Amino acid sequence: MTSRTAYACYAGWVVVVAAAYYAFPEAHLYTWAALGYSSAAAIVAGVRLNRPSRQLPWYLIALAIVCFTTGDSLYNLILARGHQPPYPGVNDALYLLVYPLLTVGFLYFVRARSGGGNRTALLDALVPTVGFGLLAWIYWIAPFTRSEELSMLQKLASIAYPVGDVLALAMMLRIITTSGRRPGALTAIGTGIVGLLLSDVFYGQSQLNSAWVLGGPVDLGWIVFYAAVGFAGLLPSMRELTEPSPSSGADSSPRRIIWMASAALIAPVVLLLQWAQGLDDDELGPLTTDLPVIAAASALMFVLVLARVNGLANVNRRARDRELALREAGALLSSAATEQDAVQSVRQAVATLMPASQPCHVRLLESVGLPPGRGVRVAPVADVPELPVPPEYDHVAYATMELPGENPRVVTVLVAAPLFVLRELRPSFEALFDQVAVVLERINLTGEVSRRDTEAYFRTLIHNASDVILIVDDEDRIRYASPSAAGVFGYPDLTGMPLATLTDQPVALGRILAGIRAGRPLDLDGLDVTAVCADGRSLHVDFTARDLRDDPTVRGLVLTIRDMTDRYVLEKDLYQLAFYDELTGMANRVLFRDRLEQAYGEAQRDDAELAVLFVDVDDFKEVNDTLGHAVGDELLVIVAKRITEAVGTGRTAARLGADEFAVLAERITDASEAEELAARIVAALAAPVEVSDGSGRTHIVSGACSVGVASSRDAHSGPELLRHADLALHQAKGADKGTWQRYRGELHTDMAQRLETRVALLDAIDAEQFRLLYQPIVNLRTNRVEGVEALVRWQHPTRGLLGPYHFIELAEESGAIVAIGNWVLRESLAQFARWHADDPSGSPSYVSVNVSARQFRTPGFVDRVRAALTEAGVEPPRLLLEITESLVLRDADQVWADLRTLRALGVRMAIDDFGTGYSSLSYLREMPVDVLKIDKSFIDDVLHSEKQRVLVETIVALAHNFELRVVAEGIEDHGQRAVLTAMGCDYGQGYLFAKPVRPEEIPALTRVEPALVK
């Protein structure tokens, strides 16, 4: 099966299944699973079909989709059985596993395409990533942390989604900013990531508001993610994502600079908008707590942008130096009379172009066996053994050119230097070697002319010259024209015609020729002039001239003329493409930005006012997805026409990209004029649009739009005015679509206390500010205290004693949890040893210590446990390590090996919070553990919920069947204890028996009579 057939079949499959998903809600479980698993299958099939050089990243992406789909399927299955899925649940954990898998896969792409050493691309990706990360922190993550409706676990899950999204976005930006061609597969993956981000945003918000509904429009983003990534795997261009990308130098395009500048200004704009609101002290609470976060992000982006600007300054400086070197080389080449002179000029030019301390080797060779060709080639020396290159060089840039004549010659100009230098200077070498080709042709022709006595023989030698060669007498009449002149100018014979006949600039041309005859410097050589053909057509030509009046065989000026019309047309087309939208003919983002800067400067100077309107077509994506891109393009053309008509003359209307438009209204009387213009645009686009799908059928679609309005009175720069208009547009789209909104600075801030706590946490480790409390674990049948669980607290110097809720999450994020956990392990064993030394018979039988997954996976954890036991003098069976179920889901083989090693040492193991994570009977049967701890959430409703009671009873029975002891956590009243005792639960802990207490209080609890333990 070919790639084309494969992705055609896949596209049809996706369309059919997606349609079935929305058409048959009762089949969501099956249609959604079919969409997801088929996407992963498409990637695997694409790997088998296209055979990329590196297959692992694609398999990681496929695995990520499998996790995603499995999570969705589990979610849908719970719904299908009539239950409401918990949030967070197992499905959320599967969703979150998608992000590290995607990140690792994308890292492989980055390493494969650029080797990870592209500093420019890294800076270009980091700046918007930090900016978007700050926005995500303020407007997405922080609301979850402050929500009073969400539990701690729900907050953690809700925060994990945006963190994963920002991470995926960062990796996607890093791939996109890599220089070189962007394959279609990359575009498809980028489209899928955008869909994933959008759906995650709305999913997180709906969970925050408890408004999540299956089968809604939010699912479209995930469908796009499935379809686009699967489609990317089938595209042949997917091979290019794991192959090196050729460097094309630093990207200094205005769009990328605007993008970086906009991202860098996110943090100060947040602060500025908050300041502009004039909030009082009470309202500034969230802002002041988040100032360090915003300041740090601002400083980081400032440093990144400075580094990028410094790189651009270096690039521009080198470009100026190269331009000067090329000009000097052109003057030297113009005066070169021999090939040796030309080679010397090339050597000087190349030496000037080369970066400091970079060696090079320049030669002019003849008849080395390479065929003539156009342009400069850069190749390894091993690929062109015909070129004699010194052994210290591995790569060479060379150009071959054919010199016409009776015996044509093929000449090769080569420059050997380090590869990165050759790639960077390749455009300069193109321009230099083009000049060399012209000069060598002229030198060759001049030599041939001087060696021949007759004009007829001279004409034969230059018959194959591609450029037009003219000999002009003292009266500026053409005395000779090469055969190519007839094809270029359309005149059968130019002999005897005035040279002025061939140009519409006869006066300027006469001055040039007079200067050449007077011996003045040829600084006008290479002038771009317009020639007129016999049929009236105009040609843009480039010419050089040499005075050979003293040569008896020539007796005139020799003009070498090259037709540059195609290049002129190309440059004109490039200008059109650079500043105008190809589809609508409107100004594009670059031209709009340029005019905005000019207009803003004039407004500041004249104390005038201007406005920017951002226009976005509502629900345009639905038109593209349902009717196709051709219909979407037709709709955009009609929308552009209506906007232009509504705006009128004297104002700039531009298409910024996709379905986004902008209007620049200069010299308005006040903001109301801009608002009237916005209302006019909304009204003009409110009328339905009739479009054709290309097959003879027409469709009525909506062209309605939302408009954001911003005035220069509220902005301090043109870019800030753009951002204000964009914010107003988002406000309009967030309210009722098909309306306009004026900019209002209502932004919120985030908590700065989180960063402050994170910094203080690192100091707390060195300052020994942590304390241990111990909670008894009681035998439910005898009421005796059998053991204690060590619980860490933070004795904060200003906030007092803090529970784990205040710092454990931050410790996990920063990695400080490893140092804290090691301290807890050592201190709890030392305290246990002190209890036994003071009263061996009245001390607890064992001490239980919680171990985080990150701490457990740290290399050398088993050795640290062994060392702590030895240091404290405690027997291994006296130590019970509590781990979570999720620990074994990553690096499972190594984790299980460490568990078995600890068991062999004598240390006992417990599964903590059983039932809240990835509960699995196979893990429970095979995992080397001794104790099962039932989470408090199961115990809370054991008296009031029959289902909960049956569930707990089942867990207890299951644990006993596997020969495991059971500890029930969170027992708070006698009824719970009685039910658990009747179920056969072995041990319990909770406030019914004792709260966590200081270590000196434990001996009294262990010595108390059984009936008195409360």
Side-chain angles (χ1 to χ4, degrees), residues 777-1014:
I777 300 174
V778 177
N779 188 312
L780 294 181
R781 296 189 180 275
T782 65
N783 278 350
R784 289 189 177 277
V785 175
E786 298 288 347
V788 293
E789 180 179 358
L791 302 172
V792 66
R793 299 292 186 266
W794 181 7
Q795 188 64 51
H796 195 279
T798 59
R799 299 166 61 188
L801 190 66
L802 301 180
Y805 167 79
H806 297 280
F807 64 89
I808 288 297
E809 176 189 353
L810 292 175
E812 289 280 0
E813 293 178 1
S814 63
I817 191 65
V818 176
I820 296 173
N822 291 337
W823 178 84
V824 170
L825 177 63
R826 295 192 305 271
E827 179 62 24
S828 58
L829 288 175
Q831 180 61 54
F832 185 84
R834 287 193 291 271
W835 285 333
H836 267 260
D838 295 341
D839 185 4
S841 62
S843 61
S845 300
Y846 68 92
V847 61
S848 180
V849 178
N850 289 279
V851 179
S852 74
R854 187 165 186 171
Q855 179 188 3
F856 194 96
R857 294 193 183 98
T858 304
F861 174 73
V862 174
D863 294 333
R864 280 190 288 274
V865 173
R866 185 184 291 110
L869 289 168
T870 303
E871 180 182 352
V874 175
E875 298 176 354
R878 301 291 189 176
L879 174 62
L880 177 67
L881 295 181
E882 298 186 17
I883 61 175
T884 60
E885 302 167 78
S886 61
L887 175 65
V888 298
L889 296 181
R890 178 181 169 193
D891 302 327
D893 294 339
Q894 182 60 45
V895 169
W896 284 44
D898 290 345
L899 289 174
R900 294 188 180 96
T901 302
L902 290 170
R903 282 288 302 280
L905 183 65
V907 176
R908 296 188 300 151
M909 307 300 299
I911 299 179
D912 193 17
D913 299 332
F914 181 79
T916 63
Y918 297 83
S919 304
S920 169
L921 295 182
S922 61
Y923 284 158
L924 194 60
R925 183 183 66 251
E926 301 173 4
M927 188 183 298
V929 296
D930 306 275
V931 177
L932 196 77
K933 301 192 73 172
I934 302 177
D935 187 69
K936 181 180 183 298
S937 60
F938 291 92
I939 306 302
D940 289 340
D941 295 330
V942 73
L943 295 178
H944 311 293
S945 173
E946 178 65 19
K947 293 182 179 179
Q948 198 78 334
R949 188 190 63 77
V950 172
L951 179 59
V952 174
E953 188 173 11
T954 302
I955 294 175
V956 172
L958 183 65
H960 287 164
N961 288 337
F962 290 147
E963 299 181 354
L964 302 177
R965 296 293 184 181
V966 180
V967 178
E969 298 179 303
I971 300 176
E972 297 182 352
D973 58 50
H974 292 284
Q976 292 174 341
R977 177 192 163 206
V979 170
L980 291 168
T981 303
M983 292 179 182
C985 182
D986 304 293
Y987 304 99
Q989 67 182 100
Y991 284 9
L992 175 65
F993 307 109
K995 296 181 179 180
V997 297
R998 293 188 300 274
E1000 58 268 21
E1001 300 179 50
I1002 289 297
L1005 294 176
T1006 57
R1007 288 192 297 267
V1008 73
E1009 289 298 322
L1012 299 179
V1013 176
K1014 298 294 182 183

Side-chain angles (χ1 to χ4, degrees), residues 435-614:
Q435 297 182 54
V436 171
V438 173
V439 171
L440 289 179
E441 288 185 14
R442 173 181 54 79
I443 293 174
N444 184 65
L445 178 58
T446 303
E448 292 294 336
V449 170
S450 66
R451 289 196 299 269
R452 304 305 176 188
D453 296 330
T454 64
E455 193 175 66
Y457 197 70
F458 167 74
R459 186 181 298 110
T460 303
L461 292 177
I462 65 170
H463 182 76
N464 292 321
S466 58
D467 295 337
V468 176
I469 300 175
L470 304 178
I471 299 178
V472 181
D473 61 18
D474 291 339
E475 297 180 357
D476 289 345
R477 287 186 174 272
I478 300 172
R479 195 156 50 79
Y480 170 80
S482 64
S484 57
V488 174
F489 296 108
Y491 291 97
D493 187 6
L494 290 174
T495 305
M497 292 178 57
L499 184 62
T501 307
L502 299 180
T503 179
D504 59 357
Q505 304 165 322
V507 177
L509 183 59
R511 287 199 301 265
I512 294 172
L513 298 181
I516 295 172
R517 292 189 180 98
R520 291 196 293 269
L522 304 181
D523 53 354
L524 294 177
D525 274 3
L527 179 68
D528 187 13
V529 299
T530 302
V532 180
C533 299
D535 57 3
R537 290 182 298 110
S538 294
L539 299 178
H540 290 267
V541 299
D542 181 71
F543 78 92
T544 57
R546 185 169 177 80
D547 186 1
L548 296 179
R549 291 177 295 167
D550 296 335
D551 191 317
T553 61
V554 181
R555 300 187 307 278
L557 301 180
V558 176
L559 306 182
T560 304
I561 301 173
R562 174 171 293 179
D563 183 5
M564 307 298 287
T565 304
D566 291 342
R567 190 181 75 175
Y568 176 82
V569 173
L570 176 60
E571 291 175 351
K572 185 177 180 181
D573 291 342
L574 289 176
Y575 178 84
Q576 183 72 18
L577 290 175
F579 294 104
Y580 290 90
D581 180 58
E582 185 177 4
L583 177 64
T584 63
M586 303 175 79
N588 65 6
R589 182 185 295 272
V590 176
L591 182 57
F592 183 83
R593 178 61 182 268
D594 181 68
R595 291 184 178 176
L596 173 61
E597 291 295 339
Q598 295 180 12
Y600 189 87
E602 294 175 359
Q604 292 292 99
R605 182 190 63 212
D606 302 335
D607 193 25
E609 186 174 1
L610 60 89
V612 169
L613 288 73
F614 269 14

